[in-house]
DNA sequence: TTGTAGGCGTTATCAA
DNA sequence: TTGATAACGCCTACAA
């Protein structure tokens, strides 16, 4: 492997000059520049980037923490992050955590060890206090509405979304409304639960805890949801489903079992992914790609900012 | 940031001893070891990993090249790779290429620049010759049946799969068989095309080029497929669909349009993902997670090996 | 069992 | 416009 010293020897200049040429710095004469460039070509030279990292203290690497990449929500967010990273000449290090805290901490430690310049946490399971401790080592950006600590974030207000969707269903006569989520812990689910509770208090409605169905992640979980609903004494007349895929699975499952949508049960999906359009599912549009882009930009722009992204209800045929 | 020198001073030992303690090397007395450990604790010390990288010439980082991460095929493969990487204490750098050659080359260059120790290419668009040039810089593993150059690979034989599936359909009386793929270029598609051609020659059947439908990636593309089929003068009686998601989309679309499966058209999916089970789709099981794991292991085990993974036809109700 | 010193490949500082 | 030389922080012969 030829290095900068070899080049210097070959071009009969100092390493400094080589470095200048390599990094397009000014103050190099034409002749020397060309001599260096010749040497570069003839040796097929490439920088050892680790030396650059050590010298500069930066890696142009941003970490991305997410529970799993095989879920449309996260893979779309990731796609947005990746797109923006590319435009800014960064690369991504993936931390697939499966919601295991120690893996999240591993990512935080890589920030501390300077292997990554910043960290995007798409969904977390560890405490905010822990994250706060690592803030001193580099920028960390979250995808949730965080007030407790001073970090950047890009998020949608799940409280508002849920409130609005519940209101929408209420106006259409629904009084027994259930909802499906991916996991019952986590900040987003907490806010949804709050909105759900507040809604029921506002209208003095009661609800059954079995109306809250968790572990709904994939298309095929739709079937599970319908099977659960069928076992209930009093079935909900509408379902808020925090993923279009699951909503689509529910729709298909209902067709199989002769359950009519929206007459027997109304469905609202989340995200407005293409599958929702194809299946004519009423859904709440969440601009995941844009959110991903913004998350990335926040990690490299050192000022701290919090951005709430607006969402939109798309009315189709399942309500 | 405290470094190894500071620790040495604090513990009143040499940097070598500190390094020994930090890396669990033998030949350190209890007292000195404890003194070092104390210093580590009191300073909250963490290695600067870039210095380690530079010094060792390794990064414990493996690159993964894939066109997009929001597709079940690749996200499952990625999941397998990530699982195994974790077990072996490696991290992954993601290269989302969108099938753009320059991005693939960027990944190859990171190998050359030593930012990554190895590279897994899940799907490529650049020539094998180009890849061959970079082989000197580190292990590269492909997920296709490659004979032209000497690299490791884990793959399924798309030729065999297609041949078997076509044969299966033939035995059940199908004579007009079409197929759907993600993209028409690429090694896998080439092998499928070959199998398709050979099959038709074997049985002296003719086929229409419109029976080959490409750009089928997502669930929602199923609708597009059916719309195309409906426009054909002579519609195929069976369809090989290289993704369970698309197959599911086709099934749903057919239900909408009163097309009966398998009577009007038979469907075989690929991968055997949960959605195929839920929808009772006959499919070919491809163990993507295992393939991912093996791809990873091949990149860190320096011997070159080529592993063909067996597949299995799962008979359900769409044929 | 311990420590000295050189090396890893760049970049940055400063003097010329 | 150029070049010595000192960082950057760690690892590892080699010597003691």
């Amino acid at each position: 492997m030829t290095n900068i010293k070899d080049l210097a020897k070959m071009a009969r200049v100092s390493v400094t000059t080589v470095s200048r040429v390599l990094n397009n710095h000014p103050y190099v004469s034409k002749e020397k520049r060309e001599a260096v460039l010749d040497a570069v070509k003839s040796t097929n030279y490439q920088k050892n980037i680790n030396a650059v990292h050590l010298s500069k203290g930066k890696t142009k690497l941003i970490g991305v923490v997410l529970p799993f990449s095989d879920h449309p929500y996260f893979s779309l967010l990731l796609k947005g992050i990746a797109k923006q990273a590319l435009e800014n000449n960064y690369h991504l290090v993936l931390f697939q955590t499966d919601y295991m805290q120690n893996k999240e901490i591993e990512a935080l430690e890589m920030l501390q060890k300077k292997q990554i310049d910043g960290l995007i946490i798409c969904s977390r399971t560890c405490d905010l206090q822990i994250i706060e401790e690592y803030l001193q080592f580099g920028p960390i950006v979250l995808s949730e509405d965080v007030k407790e600590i001073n970090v950047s974030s890009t998020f949608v207000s799940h409280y508002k979304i849920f409130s609005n969707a519940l209101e929408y269903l209420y106006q259409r006569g629904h009084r027994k409304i259930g909802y499906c989520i991916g996991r019952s812990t986590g900040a987003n689910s907490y806010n949804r639960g709050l909105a759900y509770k507040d809604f029921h208090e506002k209208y003095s409605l009661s609800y059954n805890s079995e109306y809250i169905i968790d572990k709904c992640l994939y298309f095929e979980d739709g079937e599970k949801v319908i099977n659960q609903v069928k076992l209930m004494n009093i079935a909900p007349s509408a379902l808020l489903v925090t993923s279009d895929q699951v909503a689509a699975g529910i729709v298909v499952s209902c067709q199989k079992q002769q359950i009519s949508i929206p007459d027997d049960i109304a469905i609202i999906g989340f995200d407005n992914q293409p599958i929702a359009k194809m299946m004519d599912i009423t859904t709440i549009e969440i601009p995941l790609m844009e959110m991903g882009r913004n998350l990335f930009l926040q990690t490299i722009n050192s000022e701290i900012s919090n951005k709430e992204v607006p969402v939109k209800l798309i009315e189709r045929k399942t309500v």
Side-chain angles (χ1 to χ4, degrees), chain A:
Chain A
M1 254 344 32
T2 106
N3 63 21
I4 207 174
K5 254 188 195 160
D6 302 333
L7 292 182
K9 232 174 260 168
M10 292 179 63
R12 301 170 175 287
V13 297
S14 71
V15 289
T16 316
T17 300
V18 176
S19 177
R20 286 207 181 91
V21 173
L22 258 26
N23 296 292
N24 286 317
H25 287 217
Y27 305 127
V28 182
S29 67
K30 235 181 211 158
E31 305 84 54
K32 302 220 173 189
R33 162 161 280 122
E34 277 162 12
V36 172
L37 259 20
D38 283 352
V40 167
K41 251 191 199 145
S42 74
T43 56
N44 211 336
Y45 166 83
Q46 280 279 352
K47 276 186 200 178
N48 178 327
I49 222 164
N50 292 312
V52 179
H53 293 336
L54 174 59
S55 188
K56 292 206 170 186
K58 306 245 165 220
T59 59
K60 289 271 186 175
L61 241 35
I62 299 290
V64 181
V65 167
L66 36 74
F68 21 74
S69 57
D70 66 332
H71 185 275
Y73 178 91
F74 292 111
S75 58
L76 265 181
L77 207 54
L78 180 59
K79 202 176 186 180
I81 295 171
K83 271 225 161 92
Q84 193 63 50
L86 192 85
E87 286 178 23
N88 294 67
N89 265 93
Y90 275 78
H91 289 284
L92 300 179
V93 178
L94 203 61
F95 296 92
Q96 233 174 163
T97 63
D98 262 320
Y99 281 128
M100 286 164 71
Q101 206 184 119
N102 61 328
K103 293 185 201 167
E104 291 182 20
I105 289 178
E106 213 172 272
L108 290 164
E109 280 177 350
M110 290 202 35
L111 186 63
Q112 182 173 8
K113 287 180 185 154
K114 295 170 179 296
Q115 184 157 18
I116 53 181
D117 293 348
L119 190 60
I120 299 171
I121 301 181
C122 297
S123 185
R124 72 183 161 86
T125 184
C126 78
D127 280 353
L128 286 173
Q129 283 89 323
I130 295 184
I131 290 173
E132 194 174 19
E133 286 172 26
Y134 285 88
L135 234 30
Q136 55 178 302
F137 304 116
I140 301 176
V141 181
L142 300 180
S143 182
E144 66 183 85
D145 185 5
V146 34
K147 305 200 159 55
E148 296 87 337
I149 64 174
N150 191 29
V151 286
S152 287
S153 61
T154 299
F155 60 92
V156 292
S157 166
H158 288 285
Y159 184 92
K160 280 191 211 161
I161 294 178
F162 250 51
S163 298
N164 292 346
L166 289 165
E167 202 67 42
Y168 176 81
L169 290 170
Y170 187 89
Q171 300 307 334
R172 269 158 190 70
H174 292 281
R175 295 296 179 269
K176 292 164 298 174
I177 306 173
Y179 70 92
C180 310
I181 47 179
R183 58 164 186 161
S184 50
T185 54
N188 291 341
S189 292
Y190 174 79
N191 286 321
R192 288 168 181 146
L194 211 60
Y196 191 69
K197 204 171 127 273
D198 289 353
F199 166 79
H200 284 83
E201 274 172 14
K202 175 177 173 190
Y203 291 109
S204 306
L205 297 171
S206 65
Y207 66 90
N208 198 320
S209 69
E210 66 183 359
Y211 279 11
I212 303 173
I213 305 172
D214 76 343
K215 291 181 190 145
C216 298
L217 290 166
Y218 305 102
F219 184 95
E220 56 270 19
D221 293 321
E223 188 163 74
K224 186 188 69 184
V225 171
I226 289 306
N227 289 339
Q228 282 190 39
V229 165
K230 279 170 46 182
L231 290 176
M232 297 178 188
N233 286 327
I234 304 174
S237 69
L239 237 34
L240 246 46
V241 184
T242 64
S243 140
D244 284 334
Q245 271 70 25
V246 177
I250 290 176
V251 169
V252 166
S253 201
C254 284
Q255 282 168 1
K256 263 201 217 168
Q257 315 202 22
Q258 321 280 7
I259 299 170
S260 159
I261 292 177
D263 299 336
D264 295 335
I265 191 163
I267 302 291
I268 294 185
F270 267 64
D271 299 350
N272 193 28
Q273 297 196 9
I275 197 172
K277 187 171 184 196
M278 173 195 163
M279 309 272 296
D280 262 328
I281 296 171
T282 294
T283 189
I284 291 162
E285 183 173 273
I286 301 180
L288 290 168
M289 291 264 282
E290 273 177 59
M291 287 176 68
R293 295 186 96 104
N294 202 62
L295 282 166
F296 179 83
L297 289 173
Q298 283 177 311
T299 107
I300 62 171
N301 296 345
S302 46
E303 322 92 65
I304 287 181
S305 61
N306 300 93
K307 177 165 182 185
E308 180 179 338
V309 175
V311 301
K312 201 166 73 184
L313 182 80
I314 312 283
E315 294 189 85
R316 285 198 272 246
K317 303 196 174 152
T318 54
V319 173

